[in-house]
Amino acid sequence: MLTHPVFNKRLMARSSVLVTCALAALFLVQCSDGGGSAIFVMEPLPYSLDALAPTISADTMGFHYDKHYAGYVKKANELTKGKGFAGKTAEALIQATAGDASKAAVFNNAAQAWNHAYFFKCLKPDGGSAPEGLLAEMIDAAFGGFVEFKALFITAAKDQFGSGWVWLVLDEGKLAVVTSANADTPLAHGMIPLFTVDVWEHAYYLDYQNRRVDFVKSVLDNLANWDFVAAQLEKAQPPKV
Ligand SMILES: [Fe+2]
């Protein structure tokens, strides 16, 4: 059956209004928390999935970002929806649920969503050059130099038993290298995260199999975004007047 062109235009206009309304309704459903918005959103990658190769392949990034990270964000929002967390920041929610066994699932997914978003921001293509300015001075003071810091960070990654994270943190005004198991995060322990590398096997196994040290060393040498880290340090420790 042929349709008159004018009718077709009206039909299209009406369809377009219906589609717009349907999308708006879907948006409201997704954002609604019985009065609040979803706490976690997928932060866009600041580079393409293949931009970190060969240190991290596009395959690994695809699984890591689109499957693992997306899964934590989705689950964290499902577990917090309508549970009295509306209005809380992600950081406040993580701190409020840390150590509470009855909220372990919320904490694990929320912390993993936050940890992954932060990890992806710690990387950039053609990174790895030595830090400068205040960050470099504080690394020298805390570890004796950048080379010594990297050696300590790699050893910490090697010694982390099972899944977890290695971090450079600001702890009571001083830099420190710490590790956290599974989803745990320095945010839950009064420390300020500055830099991290994910040492869960899903972060490196496709590219490095069991060679975790090679993965961490290559991230430090080729991808570490010290400009981002320096900016976080400046925010955490404003210059003295
Ligand atoms: Fe991960």
Side-chain angles (χ1 to χ4, degrees), residues 43-85:
E43 293 198 27
L45 270 184
Y47 37 75
S48 61
L49 290 174
D50 62 357
L52 306 183
T55 293
I56 302 178
S57 68
D59 261 3
T60 292
M61 282 305 299
F63 280 108
H64 208 172
Y65 181 81
D66 289 328
K67 304 295 182 191
H68 293 278
Y69 173 49
Y72 292 127
V73 169
K74 182 171 182 284
K75 192 72 179 172
N77 283 328
E78 286 172 1
L79 290 171
T80 52
K81 185 177 180 181
K83 298 284 170 51
F85 295 112

mmCIF file of all heavy atoms in Angstrom, residues 43-85:
data_model
loop_
_atom_site.group_PDB
_atom_site.id
_atom_site.type_symbol
_atom_site.label_atom_id
_atom_site.label_comp_id
_atom_site.label_asym_id
_atom_site.label_seq_id
_atom_site.Cartn_x
_atom_site.Cartn_y
_atom_site.Cartn_z
ATOM 1 N N GLU A 43 32.306 6.797 33.126
ATOM 2 C CA GLU A 43 33.138 7.929 32.687
ATOM 3 C C GLU A 43 33.757 7.571 31.339
ATOM 4 O O GLU A 43 34.283 6.472 31.173
ATOM 5 C CB GLU A 43 34.226 8.224 33.722
ATOM 6 C CG GLU A 43 33.635 8.731 35.019
ATOM 7 C CD GLU A 43 34.671 9.439 35.882
ATOM 8 O OE1 GLU A 43 35.644 9.978 35.336
ATOM 9 O OE2 GLU A 43 34.493 9.421 37.106
ATOM 10 N N PRO A 44 33.697 8.488 30.364
ATOM 11 C CA PRO A 44 34.257 8.155 29.054
ATOM 12 C C PRO A 44 35.762 7.966 29.129
ATOM 13 O O PRO A 44 36.437 8.656 29.911
ATOM 14 C CB PRO A 44 33.901 9.373 28.193
ATOM 15 C CG PRO A 44 33.608 10.469 29.154
ATOM 16 C CD PRO A 44 33.144 9.842 30.433
ATOM 17 N N LEU A 45 36.264 7.036 28.323
ATOM 18 C CA LEU A 45 37.722 6.865 28.249
ATOM 19 C C LEU A 45 38.329 8.117 27.616
ATOM 20 O O LEU A 45 37.823 8.588 26.600
ATOM 21 C CB LEU A 45 38.069 5.672 27.372
ATOM 22 C CG LEU A 45 38.205 4.293 27.982
ATOM 23 C CD1 LEU A 45 38.650 3.314 26.906
ATOM 24 C CD2 LEU A 45 39.151 4.264 29.155
ATOM 25 N N PRO A 46 39.424 8.627 28.162
ATOM 26 C CA PRO A 46 40.042 9.816 27.564
ATOM 27 C C PRO A 46 40.918 9.492 26.351
ATOM 28 O O PRO A 46 41.711 10.325 25.934
ATOM 29 C CB PRO A 46 40.878 10.397 28.721
ATOM 30 C CG PRO A 46 41.095 9.276 29.665
ATOM 31 C CD PRO A 46 39.995 8.271 29.464
ATOM 32 N N TYR A 47 40.798 8.281 25.821
ATOM 33 C CA TYR A 47 41.566 7.844 24.636
ATOM 34 C C TYR A 47 40.789 6.683 24.030
ATOM 35 O O TYR A 47 39.856 6.160 24.640
ATOM 36 C CB TYR A 47 42.984 7.410 25.040
ATOM 37 C CG TYR A 47 43.030 6.686 26.369
ATOM 38 C CD1 TYR A 47 42.590 5.367 26.494
ATOM 39 C CD2 TYR A 47 43.436 7.351 27.532
ATOM 40 C CE1 TYR A 47 42.579 4.732 27.722
ATOM 41 C CE2 TYR A 47 43.435 6.711 28.759
ATOM 42 C CZ TYR A 47 43.007 5.399 28.843
ATOM 43 O OH TYR A 47 42.978 4.769 30.060
ATOM 44 N N SER A 48 41.184 6.279 22.814
ATOM 45 C CA SER A 48 40.474 5.171 22.173
ATOM 46 C C SER A 48 40.927 3.834 22.770
ATOM 47 O O SER A 48 41.983 3.760 23.410
ATOM 48 C CB SER A 48 40.717 5.182 20.664
ATOM 49 O OG SER A 48 42.106 5.027 20.413
ATOM 50 N N LEU A 49 40.124 2.801 22.526
ATOM 51 C CA LEU A 49 40.425 1.482 23.101
ATOM 52 C C LEU A 49 41.776 0.939 22.640
ATOM 53 O O LEU A 49 42.414 0.166 23.358
ATOM 54 C CB LEU A 49 39.321 0.473 22.728
ATOM 55 C CG LEU A 49 37.957 0.679 23.395
ATOM 56 C CD1 LEU A 49 36.946 -0.305 22.821
ATOM 57 C CD2 LEU A 49 38.053 0.501 24.912
ATOM 58 N N ASP A 50 42.212 1.341 21.440
ATOM 59 C CA ASP A 50 43.482 0.803 20.923
ATOM 60 C C ASP A 50 44.665 1.750 21.154
ATOM 61 O O ASP A 50 45.775 1.477 20.704
ATOM 62 C CB ASP A 50 43.361 0.463 19.430
ATOM 63 C CG ASP A 50 43.045 1.682 18.581
ATOM 64 O OD1 ASP A 50 42.868 2.786 19.149
ATOM 65 O OD2 ASP A 50 42.961 1.537 17.346
ATOM 66 N N ALA A 51 44.441 2.854 21.857
ATOM 67 C CA ALA A 51 45.485 3.886 21.977
ATOM 68 C C ALA A 51 46.623 3.493 22.919
ATOM 69 O O ALA A 51 47.679 4.111 22.873
ATOM 70 C CB ALA A 51 44.865 5.196 22.454
ATOM 71 N N LEU A 52 46.390 2.494 23.771
ATOM 72 C CA LEU A 52 47.422 2.133 24.757
ATOM 73 C C LEU A 52 48.260 0.932 24.324
ATOM 74 O O LEU A 52 49.141 0.492 25.063
ATOM 75 C CB LEU A 52 46.772 1.859 26.120
ATOM 76 C CG LEU A 52 45.882 2.979 26.679
ATOM 77 C CD1 LEU A 52 45.363 2.599 28.061
ATOM 78 C CD2 LEU A 52 46.632 4.302 26.723
ATOM 79 N N ALA A 53 47.972 0.409 23.128
ATOM 80 C CA ALA A 53 48.758 -0.718 22.607
ATOM 81 C C ALA A 53 50.172 -0.240 22.253
ATOM 82 O O ALA A 53 50.337 0.923 21.877
ATOM 83 C CB ALA A 53 48.055 -1.283 21.365
ATOM 84 N N PRO A 54 51.194 -1.083 22.387
ATOM 85 C CA PRO A 54 51.087 -2.511 22.710
ATOM 86 C C PRO A 54 51.121 -2.815 24.217
ATOM 87 O O PRO A 54 50.969 -3.968 24.589
ATOM 88 C CB PRO A 54 52.333 -3.095 22.042
ATOM 89 C CG PRO A 54 53.346 -1.998 22.150
ATOM 90 C CD PRO A 54 52.582 -0.710 22.008
ATOM 91 N N THR A 55 51.283 -1.798 25.074
ATOM 92 C CA THR A 55 51.336 -2.106 26.513
ATOM 93 C C THR A 55 50.024 -2.735 26.983
ATOM 94 O O THR A 55 50.014 -3.722 27.716
ATOM 95 C CB THR A 55 51.643 -0.833 27.322
ATOM 96 O OG1 THR A 55 52.980 -0.420 27.011
ATOM 97 C CG2 THR A 55 51.542 -1.078 28.813
ATOM 98 N N ILE A 56 48.894 -2.140 26.544
ATOM 99 C CA ILE A 56 47.578 -2.736 26.821
ATOM 100 C C ILE A 56 46.851 -2.811 25.483
ATOM 101 O O ILE A 56 46.596 -1.784 24.849
ATOM 102 C CB ILE A 56 46.764 -1.892 27.821
ATOM 103 C CG1 ILE A 56 47.530 -1.717 29.141
ATOM 104 C CG2 ILE A 56 45.410 -2.554 28.083
ATOM 105 C CD1 ILE A 56 46.815 -0.841 30.169
ATOM 106 N N SER A 57 46.519 -4.026 25.066
ATOM 107 C CA SER A 57 45.908 -4.210 23.748
ATOM 108 C C SER A 57 44.467 -3.700 23.732
ATOM 109 O O SER A 57 43.825 -3.537 24.778
ATOM 110 C CB SER A 57 45.916 -5.695 23.376
ATOM 111 O OG SER A 57 45.031 -6.388 24.240
ATOM 112 N N ALA A 58 43.969 -3.478 22.514
ATOM 113 C CA ALA A 58 42.568 -3.062 22.357
ATOM 114 C C ALA A 58 41.625 -4.139 22.894
ATOM 115 O O ALA A 58 40.576 -3.826 23.453
ATOM 116 C CB ALA A 58 42.277 -2.780 20.886
ATOM 117 N N ASP A 59 42.000 -5.400 22.741
ATOM 118 C CA ASP A 59 41.177 -6.503 23.265
ATOM 119 C C ASP A 59 41.031 -6.390 24.777
ATOM 120 O O ASP A 59 39.925 -6.477 25.324
ATOM 121 C CB ASP A 59 41.846 -7.846 22.944
ATOM 122 C CG ASP A 59 41.240 -8.492 21.729
ATOM 123 O OD1 ASP A 59 40.352 -7.876 21.114
ATOM 124 O OD2 ASP A 59 41.671 -9.623 21.396
ATOM 125 N N THR A 60 42.171 -6.206 25.453
ATOM 126 C CA THR A 60 42.131 -6.081 26.914
ATOM 127 C C THR A 60 41.326 -4.856 27.319
ATOM 128 O O THR A 60 40.487 -4.921 28.230
ATOM 129 C CB THR A 60 43.565 -5.988 27.481
ATOM 130 O OG1 THR A 60 44.208 -7.247 27.279
ATOM 131 C CG2 THR A 60 43.558 -5.668 28.967
ATOM 132 N N MET A 61 41.564 -3.730 26.652
ATOM 133 C CA MET A 61 40.823 -2.516 27.015
ATOM 134 C C MET A 61 39.331 -2.691 26.765
ATOM 135 O O MET A 61 38.493 -2.198 27.522
ATOM 136 C CB MET A 61 41.352 -1.308 26.234
ATOM 137 C CG MET A 61 42.644 -0.736 26.768
ATOM 138 S SD MET A 61 42.581 -0.281 28.528
ATOM 139 C CE MET A 61 41.303 0.958 28.512
ATOM 140 N N GLY A 62 38.990 -3.376 25.666
ATOM 141 C CA GLY A 62 37.574 -3.600 25.366
ATOM 142 C C GLY A 62 36.886 -4.375 26.475
ATOM 143 O O GLY A 62 35.823 -3.986 26.971
ATOM 144 N N PHE A 63 37.496 -5.486 26.887
ATOM 145 C CA PHE A 63 36.912 -6.278 27.977
ATOM 146 C C PHE A 63 36.921 -5.482 29.283
ATOM 147 O O PHE A 63 35.952 -5.491 30.037
ATOM 148 C CB PHE A 63 37.692 -7.585 28.171
ATOM 149 C CG PHE A 63 37.313 -8.649 27.185
ATOM 150 C CD1 PHE A 63 38.183 -9.010 26.161
ATOM 151 C CD2 PHE A 63 36.085 -9.284 27.267
ATOM 152 C CE1 PHE A 63 37.832 -9.986 25.236
ATOM 153 C CE2 PHE A 63 35.725 -10.271 26.351
ATOM 154 C CZ PHE A 63 36.605 -10.612 25.326
ATOM 155 N N HIS A 64 38.028 -4.793 29.531
ATOM 156 C CA HIS A 64 38.187 -4.110 30.824
ATOM 157 C C HIS A 64 37.175 -2.974 30.970
ATOM 158 O O HIS A 64 36.520 -2.834 32.010
ATOM 159 C CB HIS A 64 39.616 -3.578 30.942
ATOM 160 C CG HIS A 64 40.102 -3.483 32.342
ATOM 161 N ND1 HIS A 64 41.396 -3.193 32.674
ATOM 162 C CD2 HIS A 64 39.454 -3.644 33.535
ATOM 163 C CE1 HIS A 64 41.524 -3.192 33.982
ATOM 164 N NE2 HIS A 64 40.357 -3.451 34.521
ATOM 165 N N TYR A 65 37.049 -2.164 29.926
ATOM 166 C CA TYR A 65 36.170 -0.989 30.010
ATOM 167 C C TYR A 65 34.692 -1.375 29.778
ATOM 168 O O TYR A 65 33.832 -1.030 30.580
ATOM 169 C CB TYR A 65 36.605 0.051 28.969
ATOM 170 C CG TYR A 65 35.781 1.315 28.997
ATOM 171 C CD1 TYR A 65 36.043 2.311 29.937
ATOM 172 C CD2 TYR A 65 34.725 1.509 28.109
ATOM 173 C CE1 TYR A 65 35.286 3.467 29.978
ATOM 174 C CE2 TYR A 65 33.957 2.656 28.145
ATOM 175 C CZ TYR A 65 34.250 3.632 29.083
ATOM 176 O OH TYR A 65 33.479 4.769 29.123
ATOM 177 N N ASP A 66 34.450 -2.091 28.690
ATOM 178 C CA ASP A 66 33.052 -2.350 28.287
ATOM 179 C C ASP A 66 32.396 -3.477 29.075
ATOM 180 O O ASP A 66 31.159 -3.555 29.106
ATOM 181 C CB ASP A 66 32.982 -2.699 26.794
ATOM 182 C CG ASP A 66 33.255 -1.496 25.913
ATOM 183 O OD1 ASP A 66 32.912 -0.374 26.327
ATOM 184 O OD2 ASP A 66 33.812 -1.678 24.813
ATOM 185 N N LYS A 67 33.166 -4.372 29.639
ATOM 186 C CA LYS A 67 32.581 -5.497 30.381
ATOM 187 C C LYS A 67 32.791 -5.346 31.893
ATOM 188 O O LYS A 67 31.832 -5.275 32.654
ATOM 189 C CB LYS A 67 33.183 -6.830 29.910
ATOM 190 C CG LYS A 67 33.041 -7.090 28.425
ATOM 191 C CD LYS A 67 31.590 -7.256 28.017
ATOM 192 C CE LYS A 67 31.483 -7.561 26.517
ATOM 193 N NZ LYS A 67 30.102 -7.481 26.040
ATOM 194 N N HIS A 68 34.040 -5.309 32.318
ATOM 195 C CA HIS A 68 34.301 -5.280 33.765
ATOM 196 C C HIS A 68 33.852 -3.958 34.388
ATOM 197 O O HIS A 68 33.041 -3.945 35.323
ATOM 198 C CB HIS A 68 35.787 -5.527 34.046
ATOM 199 C CG HIS A 68 36.220 -6.915 33.677
ATOM 200 N ND1 HIS A 68 36.024 -8.006 34.495
ATOM 201 C CD2 HIS A 68 36.820 -7.395 32.557
ATOM 202 C CE1 HIS A 68 36.483 -9.092 33.901
ATOM 203 N NE2 HIS A 68 36.976 -8.746 32.728
ATOM 204 N N TYR A 69 34.387 -2.839 33.902
ATOM 205 C CA TYR A 69 34.019 -1.532 34.473
ATOM 206 C C TYR A 69 32.510 -1.284 34.328
ATOM 207 O O TYR A 69 31.842 -0.901 35.304
ATOM 208 C CB TYR A 69 34.832 -0.435 33.773
ATOM 209 C CG TYR A 69 34.459 0.980 34.121
ATOM 210 C CD1 TYR A 69 34.316 1.389 35.443
ATOM 211 C CD2 TYR A 69 34.267 1.924 33.118
ATOM 212 C CE1 TYR A 69 33.977 2.709 35.751
ATOM 213 C CE2 TYR A 69 33.927 3.239 33.418
ATOM 214 C CZ TYR A 69 33.785 3.619 34.728
ATOM 215 O OH TYR A 69 33.456 4.923 35.038
ATOM 216 N N ALA A 70 31.988 -1.517 33.135
ATOM 217 C CA ALA A 70 30.552 -1.292 32.917
ATOM 218 C C ALA A 70 29.722 -2.150 33.868
ATOM 219 O O ALA A 70 28.685 -1.703 34.385
ATOM 220 C CB ALA A 70 30.188 -1.599 31.467
ATOM 221 N N GLY A 71 30.185 -3.377 34.108
ATOM 222 C CA GLY A 71 29.460 -4.269 35.009
ATOM 223 C C GLY A 71 29.430 -3.743 36.433
ATOM 224 O O GLY A 71 28.391 -3.795 37.110
ATOM 225 N N TYR A 72 30.552 -3.214 36.903
ATOM 226 C CA TYR A 72 30.594 -2.663 38.265
ATOM 227 C C TYR A 72 29.680 -1.442 38.385
ATOM 228 O O TYR A 72 28.988 -1.275 39.395
ATOM 229 C CB TYR A 72 32.033 -2.272 38.635
ATOM 230 C CG TYR A 72 32.981 -3.438 38.779
ATOM 231 C CD1 TYR A 72 34.186 -3.466 38.076
ATOM 232 C CD2 TYR A 72 32.684 -4.512 39.621
ATOM 233 C CE1 TYR A 72 35.068 -4.534 38.203
ATOM 234 C CE2 TYR A 72 33.567 -5.577 39.750
ATOM 235 C CZ TYR A 72 34.749 -5.582 39.043
ATOM 236 O OH TYR A 72 35.625 -6.643 39.180
ATOM 237 N N VAL A 73 29.697 -0.574 37.380
ATOM 238 C CA VAL A 73 28.838 0.629 37.414
ATOM 239 C C VAL A 73 27.365 0.230 37.448
ATOM 240 O O VAL A 73 26.586 0.735 38.266
ATOM 241 C CB VAL A 73 29.127 1.536 36.191
ATOM 242 C CG1 VAL A 73 28.079 2.637 36.066
ATOM 243 C CG2 VAL A 73 30.532 2.134 36.294
ATOM 244 N N LYS A 74 26.994 -0.704 36.586
ATOM 245 C CA LYS A 74 25.597 -1.148 36.508
ATOM 246 C C LYS A 74 25.157 -1.781 37.835
ATOM 247 O O LYS A 74 24.108 -1.440 38.384
ATOM 248 C CB LYS A 74 25.461 -2.166 35.361
ATOM 249 C CG LYS A 74 24.068 -2.699 35.121
ATOM 250 C CD LYS A 74 24.051 -3.510 33.817
ATOM 251 C CE LYS A 74 22.661 -4.027 33.484
ATOM 252 N NZ LYS A 74 22.256 -5.163 34.296
ATOM 253 N N LYS A 75 25.993 -2.652 38.354
ATOM 254 C CA LYS A 75 25.645 -3.358 39.593
ATOM 255 C C LYS A 75 25.608 -2.383 40.779
ATOM 256 O O LYS A 75 24.727 -2.484 41.644
ATOM 257 C CB LYS A 75 26.682 -4.464 39.853
ATOM 258 C CG LYS A 75 26.288 -5.452 40.921
ATOM 259 C CD LYS A 75 25.184 -6.370 40.455
ATOM 260 C CE LYS A 75 24.797 -7.375 41.533
ATOM 261 N NZ LYS A 75 23.614 -8.147 41.172
ATOM 262 N N ALA A 76 26.564 -1.455 40.819
ATOM 263 C CA ALA A 76 26.581 -0.486 41.924
ATOM 264 C C ALA A 76 25.299 0.334 41.913
ATOM 265 O O ALA A 76 24.699 0.591 42.970
ATOM 266 C CB ALA A 76 27.799 0.427 41.803
ATOM 267 N N ASN A 77 24.833 0.733 40.752
ATOM 268 C CA ASN A 77 23.592 1.513 40.676
ATOM 269 C C ASN A 77 22.382 0.664 41.042
ATOM 270 O O ASN A 77 21.473 1.133 41.729
ATOM 271 C CB ASN A 77 23.439 2.124 39.273
ATOM 272 C CG ASN A 77 24.349 3.326 39.095
ATOM 273 O OD1 ASN A 77 24.622 4.062 40.045
ATOM 274 N ND2 ASN A 77 24.838 3.529 37.885
ATOM 275 N N GLU A 78 22.383 -0.599 40.609
ATOM 276 C CA GLU A 78 21.261 -1.486 40.968
ATOM 277 C C GLU A 78 21.180 -1.683 42.478
ATOM 278 O O GLU A 78 20.109 -1.658 43.069
ATOM 279 C CB GLU A 78 21.443 -2.853 40.288
ATOM 280 C CG GLU A 78 21.161 -2.855 38.803
ATOM 281 C CD GLU A 78 21.536 -4.181 38.136
ATOM 282 O OE1 GLU A 78 21.999 -5.110 38.840
ATOM 283 O OE2 GLU A 78 21.384 -4.254 36.903
ATOM 284 N N LEU A 79 22.340 -1.877 43.101
ATOM 285 C CA LEU A 79 22.368 -2.174 44.540
ATOM 286 C C LEU A 79 22.068 -0.951 45.411
ATOM 287 O O LEU A 79 21.677 -1.104 46.564
ATOM 288 C CB LEU A 79 23.738 -2.743 44.932
ATOM 289 C CG LEU A 79 24.056 -4.146 44.412
ATOM 290 C CD1 LEU A 79 25.511 -4.492 44.674
ATOM 291 C CD2 LEU A 79 23.137 -5.178 45.075
ATOM 292 N N THR A 80 22.275 0.245 44.855
ATOM 293 C CA THR A 80 22.074 1.457 45.669
ATOM 294 C C THR A 80 20.732 2.135 45.395
ATOM 295 O O THR A 80 20.296 2.966 46.180
ATOM 296 C CB THR A 80 23.201 2.479 45.422
ATOM 297 O OG1 THR A 80 23.343 2.703 44.019
ATOM 298 C CG2 THR A 80 24.515 1.974 45.967
ATOM 299 N N LYS A 81 20.088 1.732 44.298
ATOM 300 C CA LYS A 81 18.836 2.392 43.910
ATOM 301 C C LYS A 81 17.758 2.198 44.972
ATOM 302 O O LYS A 81 17.460 1.067 45.371
ATOM 303 C CB LYS A 81 18.357 1.811 42.572
ATOM 304 C CG LYS A 81 17.139 2.506 42.022
ATOM 305 C CD LYS A 81 16.773 1.935 40.663
ATOM 306 C CE LYS A 81 15.556 2.642 40.118
ATOM 307 N NZ LYS A 81 15.144 2.109 38.821
ATOM 308 N N GLY A 82 17.217 3.300 45.439
ATOM 309 C CA GLY A 82 16.137 3.233 46.408
ATOM 310 C C GLY A 82 16.547 2.745 47.780
ATOM 311 O O GLY A 82 15.712 2.313 48.581
ATOM 312 N N LYS A 83 17.825 2.751 48.092
ATOM 313 C CA LYS A 83 18.309 2.216 49.377
ATOM 314 C C LYS A 83 18.802 3.325 50.313
ATOM 315 O O LYS A 83 19.604 3.057 51.222
ATOM 316 C CB LYS A 83 19.450 1.207 49.136
ATOM 317 C CG LYS A 83 19.012 -0.003 48.337
ATOM 318 C CD LYS A 83 18.216 -0.955 49.215
ATOM 319 C CE LYS A 83 17.544 -2.074 48.432
ATOM 320 N NZ LYS A 83 18.393 -2.811 47.552
ATOM 321 N N GLY A 84 18.386 4.545 50.047
ATOM 322 C CA GLY A 84 18.731 5.623 50.967
ATOM 323 C C GLY A 84 20.073 6.274 50.705
ATOM 324 O O GLY A 84 20.559 7.035 51.544
ATOM 325 N N PHE A 85 20.674 5.956 49.550
ATOM 326 C CA PHE A 85 21.983 6.556 49.234
ATOM 327 C C PHE A 85 21.848 7.785 48.335
ATOM 328 O O PHE A 85 22.858 8.399 47.992
ATOM 329 C CB PHE A 85 22.885 5.536 48.536
ATOM 330 C CG PHE A 85 23.254 4.360 49.395
ATOM 331 C CD1 PHE A 85 22.783 3.088 49.099
ATOM 332 C CD2 PHE A 85 24.078 4.518 50.503
ATOM 333 C CE1 PHE A 85 23.124 2.005 49.887
ATOM 334 C CE2 PHE A 85 24.434 3.442 51.293
ATOM 335 C CZ PHE A 85 23.951 2.183 50.985
#
